[in-house]
Amino acid sequence: MDSSNFYQEQRGTGPGTSVQPTASEIKQGFAPGPTTTPVLFTPLKIRSLTLKNRIAMSPMCMYSSHDGFATDFHLVHTGQYALRGVGLIMMEAAAVAPEGRITPNCLGIWKDEHVEKLEQITRFAHTNHASIGIQLAHAGRKASTNAPWLIKVHGANADEEHGGWPYDLIGPSPVPFSDRSWMPAEMTIEQITSIQREFALAAGRARRANFDVLELHGAHGYLIHSFLSPISNRRTDAYGGSFDNRIRFLVETVRSVRTQWPINRPLFVRLSMTDWVEPSGDIPTGGWTEEESIELAKVLAQEQVDLIDCSTSGSSPLQKIPLALGYQVPFAHAVKRNVPQMLSAAVGLITTAKQANSIIESKHADLVFIARALLREPNFVLDAARQLDAFAQYPHQYERGRSKPKHSFI
């Protein structure tokens, strides 16, 4: 038996697709009758890709790699969401260079040998009709730290004894994240060009691994974001100072990536839409602002970027984040309102099906990225369909586990 055929779904486009229940399924109590499709379960076409629903898994570091290689953990972790109906699975930040990892345990895509395991993961996702992307990243001045569960043992920063590279950190300027962080070296023009080339080469590897979507990590204080924000960028050359200069590194990186990433495949950029830092005498704007993010989105729309993944913060320990359910949704809405040619995604404390559906229904975003809620509830998508009175395709292997609304004890 051909293993790929064994896994193929018979209806729709796989788990998580909104379908009509059959007469037999209605009779057995799996659905009360014909159902409607909530907007959360409508497809979204981006270039040649059609997502089966509007729920994406946010890229989340798993700190489970050695020398950047994906492992069986990644196959199982990512594969479960392919089985359980996530419309777009975005794999965690993959470093484009070894010194660009956040921790020694982070995923990488800086050498050709990384491709084989990643291709195994995309093959499993595609076999189950899931779309899958990967986030390309360089941690910049926030590199060489320890995985969360090792901080109590070794401290926050990874020194050479524990696999770190404290003397190889780079950034736009020699400005550490905090007084407890490693000091980065100011990047030379040659280093800037080299890192942009690494992003492009990584994009080529992502293409060969058969990812459907590529996202550039321009948020959370990592390298791309550190060029954008005046908190971390104190340069006086063509890459610092004015708005046009501070966005130059990202814009050139996008152009470089597009030389290796097919034009028919979507390209996303995750931005920290604001630094959430109060204005000061040193930095009158406080840092990177929402207004600048909107202007940058307009520029990126002209550079073949398809979607802005709207996050916030990460540039300074002085940030004051007004945490609340859906607190970053207004930024996704601002992109849709001000840059109509650009798709936007909402992320951050989106925890329920009704909340996610409301975001799409109100046209505040085109896609919702779910993070920790998916870690807590891997069945989030299939359960969301039931909670919204829809009927979603299940993987055949799990069909018998579908709940029956007519029987509250099942």
Side-chain angles (χ1 to χ4, degrees), residues 4-27:
S4 63
N5 288 335
F6 179 76
Y7 290 111
Q8 292 301 316
E9 300 300 325
Q10 295 179 355
R11 291 180 287 133
T13 54
T17 303
S18 178
V19 296
Q20 284 298 320
T22 64
S24 175
E25 287 165 332
I26 293 172
K27 183 177 181 180

Side-chain angles (χ1 to χ4, degrees), residues 140-142 166 168-177 181-186:
R141 67 178 185 154
K142 296 179 79 173
D168 294 325
L169 267 67
I170 55 174
S173 304
V175 179
F177 173 70
S181 303
W182 302 122
M183 175 65 75
E186 181 171 305

Side-chain angles (χ1 to χ4, degrees), residues 29-292:
F30 289 118
T35 61
T36 58
T37 298
V39 292
L40 190 62
F41 283 85
T42 56
L44 176 64
K45 183 173 176 58
I46 314 174
R47 296 188 185 265
S48 63
L49 179 69
T50 299
L51 303 180
K52 59 191 172 186
N53 60 53
R54 305 300 185 94
I55 303 172
M57 184 179 80
S58 193
M60 292 175 280
C61 291
M62 292 289 110
Y63 313 104
S64 299
S65 297
H66 176 71
D67 192 28
F69 282 91
T71 64
D72 287 347
F73 170 86
H74 294 91
L75 175 62
V76 174
H77 167 69
T78 306
Q80 69 177 320
Y81 297 109
L83 284 171
R84 295 178 184 274
V86 173
L88 172 63
I89 303 162
M90 188 67 73
M91 284 194 70
E92 66 197 86
V96 301
E99 69 277 6
R101 291 170 291 171
I102 301 169
T103 78
N105 311 106
C106 283
L107 187 67
I109 193 168
W110 67 79
K111 54 185 175 182
D112 293 343
E113 291 80 3
H114 288 148
V115 171
E116 182 179 3
K117 190 68 174 183
L118 293 172
E119 198 277 331
Q120 182 187 7
I121 294 168
T122 64
R123 186 168 62 248
F124 183 84
H126 291 151
T127 295
N128 287 278
H129 299 294
S131 298
I132 184 167
I134 192 167
Q135 186 185 68
L136 302 187
H138 192 295
R141 67 178 185 154
K142 296 179 79 173
S144 194
T145 62
N146 280 311
W149 55 84
L150 294 176
I151 290 176
K152 289 184 179 180
V153 181
H154 302 308
N157 296 324
D159 56 23
E160 291 177 302
E161 181 183 356
H162 298 105
W165 48 98
Y167 305 110
D168 294 325
L169 267 67
I170 55 174
S173 304
V175 179
F177 173 70
S178 74
D179 56 10
R180 297 188 299 274
S181 303
W182 302 122
M183 175 65 75
E186 181 171 305
M187 294 171 69
T188 65
I189 298 299
E190 290 74 19
Q191 286 176 313
I192 287 173
T193 302
S194 176
I195 291 300
Q196 290 171 334
R197 185 168 57 250
E198 295 293 353
F199 269 97
L201 292 171
R205 295 183 189 105
R207 182 193 71 243
R208 295 199 298 278
N210 290 323
F211 284 99
D212 302 301
V213 177
L214 202 61
E215 178 171 271
L216 302 186
H217 197 346
H220 304 162
Y222 300 120
L223 186 63
I224 291 175
H225 183 194
S226 68
F227 270 90
L228 299 177
S229 177
I231 292 174
S232 44
N233 186 346
R234 308 294 179 88
R235 299 176 76 98
T236 57
D237 62 4
Y239 291 91
S242 69
F243 170 79
D244 288 340
N245 283 356
R246 284 182 285 118
I247 70 171
R248 191 182 308 277
F249 178 77
L250 171 55
V251 172
E252 290 179 350
T253 300
V254 167
R255 291 172 182 168
S256 186
V257 162
R258 265 300 182 194
T259 67
Q260 297 297 317
W261 186 245
I263 197 65
N264 66 327
R265 296 192 199 184
L267 177 61
F268 297 0
V269 173
R270 171 166 277 193
L271 292 178
S272 278
M273 298 288 291
T274 177
D275 283 336
W276 292 122
V277 176
E278 295 291 334
S280 65
D282 186 31
I283 304 176
T285 61
W288 180 252
T289 67
E290 177 182 357
E291 292 75 20
E292 289 176 308

